[in-house]
Amino acid sequence: DSGVTQTPKHLITATGQRVTLRCSPRSGDLSVYWYQQSLDQGLQFLIQYYNGEERAKGNILERFSAQQFPDLHSELNLSSLELGDSALYFCASSVGGQGRSGREQYFGPGTRLTVT
Amino acid sequence: DQQVKQNSPSLSVQEGRISILNCDYTNSMFDYFLWYKKYPAEGPTFLISISSIKDKNEDGRFTVFLNKSAKHLSLHIVPSQPGDSAVYFCAARAYYGGSQGNLIFGKGTKLSVKP
């Protein structure tokens, strides 16, 4: 158990809908990262938050957004969903945002999103 | 353009033998490399890492080797155990003038260790 929790575990929704994925980092971790893993693909970095502020952006679509709240949990919002958005979405956390404390990231179990 | 490549989608090894998982990269700005292990229905688990200033790092049965001139790293597992059967991801992080970038992952290699 990494200490990172994600809810829900599974989500099935229709095209055009909007969903929210939730992540709680490990106790003491200030950084939260979101990744997408599509079929036969590696993990694609989406976005990072550090202590409530956006730190880095990767290949995140404009239909997707995220935020980190004062209690450090984070939410990833996916809107106008398309079939191609079906994937595993992982959240990870680390102590810091960069340097030694930001290198090892600890992953949650993921949310499997199926868009029909 | 894949910056981190794991060219072998799968690898099968006999229990007790050595498992060697390979990873190639293209970005010379990468300064830190990590290996993650992933079991089905679980998130990736950090396994071992190596800084670009080193060429070897060892932790128990796991050793990571880095060859910077060849832009190649490998993970050795000795001896391999059936519980090591999982997907292994290689990841790298770039250093851009004082600001570390984010992790870039390979597509993974599925290791099967047969009893």
Side-chain angles (χ1 to χ4, degrees):
Chain A
D1 184 359
S2 67
V4 178
T5 61
Q6 288 187 249
T7 56
K9 282 191 175 180
H10 302 277
L11 199 48
I12 301 175
T13 189
T15 54
Q17 296 297 305
R18 171 190 167 97
V19 296
T20 297
L21 313 184
R22 183 188 168 105
C23 168
S24 293
R26 292 187 320 161
S27 176
D29 284 0
L30 298 179
S31 262
V32 170
Y33 310 77
W34 286 98
Y35 292 86
Q36 179 192 57
Q37 185 183 21
S38 302
L39 192 64
D40 295 331
Q41 296 293 316
L43 289 91
Q44 301 290 320
F45 169 69
L46 296 178
I47 197 164
Q48 177 200 359
Y49 278 81
Y50 175 75
N51 204 20
E53 294 190 3
E54 183 183 302
R55 174 61 64 92
K57 254 183 177 178
N59 300 320
I60 188 166
L61 299 172
E62 285 193 11
R63 300 184 284 109
F64 296 0
S65 65
Q67 54 185 327
Q68 186 179 30
F69 295 86
D71 67 352
L72 301 177
H73 91 271
S74 177
E75 292 180 356
L76 178 66
N77 300 296
L78 315 176
S79 61
S80 303
L81 285 168
E82 302 175 359
L83 295 177
D85 297 328
S86 296
L88 269 169
Y89 291 84
F90 289 103
C91 166
S93 71
S94 66
V95 173
Q98 61 183 34
R100 184 181 179 86
S101 63
R103 290 186 297 203
E104 285 84 26
Q105 297 177 17
Y106 296 86
F107 284 77
T111 293
R112 180 173 292 281
L113 173 67
T114 302
V115 182
T116 62
Chain B
D1 179 31
Q2 267 191 282
Q3 297 186 62
V4 177
K5 297 179 184 178
Q6 294 177 256
N7 293 318
S8 297
S10 63
L11 174 68
S12 183
V13 171
Q14 206 67 32
E15 181 179 6
R17 299 289 189 111
I18 183 171
S19 294
I20 300 177
L21 296 99
N22 294 304
C23 178
D24 296 299
Y25 62 95
T26 58
N27 190 340
S28 58
M29 298 298 288
F30 287 147
D31 73 325
Y32 200 71
F33 303 88
L34 307 89
W35 284 94
Y36 282 82
K37 178 170 72 173
K38 184 181 180 304
Y39 293 119
E42 294 183 12
T45 303
F46 170 71
L47 192 57
I48 191 169
S49 61
I50 187 168
S51 166
S52 61
I53 63 173
K54 295 186 175 181
D55 54 19
K56 177 182 175 181
N57 188 27
E58 197 171 349
D59 183 1
R61 296 186 298 113
F62 302 91
T63 303
V64 57
F65 295 92
L66 176 62
N67 182 334
K68 284 185 66 177
S69 61
K71 292 191 174 68
H72 177 82
L73 67 156
S74 60
L75 174 68
H76 292 209
I77 306 174
V78 185
S80 300
Q81 300 173 354
D84 295 330
S85 297
V87 177
Y88 289 79
F89 290 99
C90 170
R93 196 175 77 163
Y95 179 84
Y96 299 107
S99 173
Q100 278 81 19
N102 290 285
L103 295 182
I104 298 173
F105 284 83
K107 292 188 178 183
T109 296
K110 184 176 182 179
L111 173 66
S112 299
V113 180
K114 301 191 182 305

